[in-house]
Amino acid sequence: MLFLTSEHKPLPPNLPTQTEAAFWLIVIVFLGVLLAAGTGASPLYMPPIVLSLLLLPLRAVLALPGRELAHQDSVATQNLQANGAYQQLQNAITGLAVQAGFHRPIKLVISRRPDEARAFGSWRRHYLLLGEAVATKLVEDLANETHRAKAQAMLLHEIGHIVHKDVQRIGYTRQLLRSCVTIVPWWMFFLMGWLSFSLLMGQAFLDFDPAGVANADPLLRELFAGAWNISPATRADIAAKVQTISLGLLLNFIVYAFWPIAVTGSVLWLFYWRQMVRVQEYYADALAATGIGGELAVLQAMGRYRTWFRPAVPAPRLAWRAWPAQFRVGIRRLLTPRPLAFVGQPARSIPAGLRQWFTLHPTYKQRYQCLQEPRQILAGWPQTAWPAAFLTLALDVMLISPLASYYLLGYPIHFGTLAIFALLSVWLLPHVVQGEPFGWPLAKGLLAIFGVRWLWLALNLGLLLGVVFLLPGIAYEELNLLVLAMSGFSRLPDAMPVTDPAGLALQIIPGYLLLQMFQLAVVVGLLLAYAAWQRAAARQPAAPGREVNWRRRHWLGLLAFMTAAITLLLTPVTDLLSGELGTFWQPGRVVGYLVGLGCATALLLANRHGRRHEPDNANHSG
């Protein structure tokens, strides 16, 4: 039997969660890229596409409570209300929510699935969904002193998802990433078909000769009088303009514009979003452990309410049930961990297997370890470094898209740099608050992140060099096609923009390598400055009832650091590297410099204020 130690360290209060950081990072970057698409040069009108990708996920999240409430079990609800169990459970939920610091109403909903237990809602409405069997058992346990702590721990866990706003963040992120898989391909194929049809119909209309239709109906002539009586000169002018449009370039732009976002969204949805869901469970467990019964009650609740602890997986559909039995058995065997035998070693098994990539809940052992030492949620650098590496890698792929390239092509280092800084700062904060060393773990995290990025860069540059020197003809066509697509050309230019693929490749490779080293230096500098700034606040003597709100301070400080870095460092260096020296003193640049100086000044003043109040016996290491 597993026993918890009584000397575990609790999580520092008012800290942002990794799920919170990942949510804002994904949303801001995705929406920023899509909004930038509406400001750049494009052969297509992009605002409708951007608005659909922004608003449809929000609409889906707002409509989710209505869909869930439409499928509640009204008969079971009436039965529970008749015997008073419903009101008892509702009172318990309200009391535990107030105990957790959440003072908005959380309504109990009875599910048609008897063993279901989860939270759902939107930004204004909050619900706790319980099956009839689970609700009945909880009412019995709440009345029993022996099992009361377990029932409260289970309810507190689900309330924790509402307190931490996991329901809204996870729901919106899922809908946003799913939109990249559903809406983006729909727009892509719709635009390809519509443009092809329009150009073909336009060409057919211009080739149409009204004089050849001698016996046309007068009503038909009156209906199409505007096109029927068009002058030959106007017709020739329209034909000349239509013939200058290259359907191939337009279709090529659409493919290059949409496929990176579709691929990136699908990968993040399949893997990174599920990592966010798993991480939120640890924070919900930590909140439940602070209630009556502590960590042991949470673990016992997992054993008592097994259907609640069971990892949430989508319900099997009829299509899956209709598949041949042998095929379904083969898929299950593929996803089931199997023992592997090594020469000279006993057989051992893969603990997580491929199935762990798709699960939505951590294992019992993982949750036990985090309950025993809650700070493991933020203490281990791999939990932050690897997601940050793959997320920033996905952002690099997405920024290839011409939807944002016109506006962002001169600033490719901004999003990657700030993405790494944003995620690692969340991991760094608890170490700084409690004065713990973080140098070597941070170095390993940066090595993991930039190792993945440098490997991706090496593969791309190696592929580029291989094509350029082994297949120069293909390299010439592909590079010109890529440049034309990313530049938003709708007709062929008089001269190709790339005339020497080998020279271009050899010219840009050193720049890419220097850019990566510069990005690493900027991230390290930002993290060290952020740590010093937060350490100044941690050294201040806390007044009674005036503890530091670390979550609010973190996000305000992060915004100030990012603004100062973009305006005072990244933008000037990018202008310098691109040779656009004349842009230094543009009005927009000057305003940006002033805003960046204001943010930097505010950060310095806060740092000096913290040093002035530093106690003499403070001993903080970093």
Side-chain angles (χ1 to χ4, degrees), residues 432-436 535 538-540 614-615 617-622:
V432 174
V433 170
Q434 297 192 349
E436 299 176 348
R535 188 184 295 115
R539 290 171 178 173
Q540 297 182 29
E614 179 181 353
N617 60 350
N619 183 18
H620 300 275
S621 62

Side-chain angles (χ1 to χ4, degrees), residues 46-63:
M46 289 297 180
I49 303 174
V50 175
L51 289 177
S52 66
L53 291 171
L54 298 181
L55 299 180
L56 289 179
L58 179 62
R59 177 185 176 277
V61 174
L62 294 176

